[in-house]
Amino acid sequence: MTDNTKLHNKPESEAPVSAPVIENPEIAKTPENPVPAYRSPYAVIACVILAPAAWAALMWLNGYVALGTAAASIALGAAGLKGRSSGWRNLGITAIICSTVLIVVLAAFLIVIKVGLS
């Protein structure tokens, strides 16, 4: 029978090494440790405004206008997802899902109408 204690005991040379603590703020800004750039939430705000506007365009205007507005909302939301705030990112993801649902439902309806009428 083998001795299992040899499998669980690591020599001290293989012990995990913790990361060094950087105390000097000048060292923290070196290219090895870049500070993340601030991104404005305006793209996400525009996405959140355009998502319900696409649904309103479907109700009061043309379906093609709604498709274009939803596509613009998705593009702006994707551009705004690189923001630092998780709240804005979650709101942008919700607006993207709202616009994607509109595109999928409306595109399926238009395809059925086009195929059904031809």
Side-chain angles (χ1 to χ4, degrees):
M1 202 169 231
T2 61
D3 187 18
N4 288 335
T5 57
K6 292 181 182 178
L7 297 175
H8 297 292
N9 294 334
K10 290 184 179 179
E12 289 190 26
S13 63
E14 294 181 17
V17 179
S18 63
V21 177
I22 299 173
E23 296 177 6
N24 188 353
E26 294 300 321
I27 296 174
K29 295 180 184 177
T30 59
E32 293 90 23
N33 302 321
V35 177
Y38 173 75
R39 293 223 177 215
S40 174
Y42 291 131
V44 175
I45 292 171
C47 171
V48 169
I49 291 171
L50 283 178
W55 284 94
L58 176 63
M59 193 169 21
W60 290 309
L61 297 173
N62 193 352
Y64 296 110
V65 174
L67 279 174
T69 308
S73 174
I74 290 173
L76 283 171
L81 286 182
K82 291 187 178 184
R84 289 174 30 177
S85 172
S86 64
W88 285 112
R89 187 174 53 242
N90 292 342
L91 187 63
I93 289 171
T94 304
I96 288 173
I97 291 170
C98 175
S99 297
T100 305
V101 166
L102 174 68
I103 286 179
V104 168
V105 168
L106 192 56
F109 177 74
L110 289 174
I111 289 170
V112 166
I113 293 296
K114 297 282 184 183
V115 171
L117 292 176
S118 62

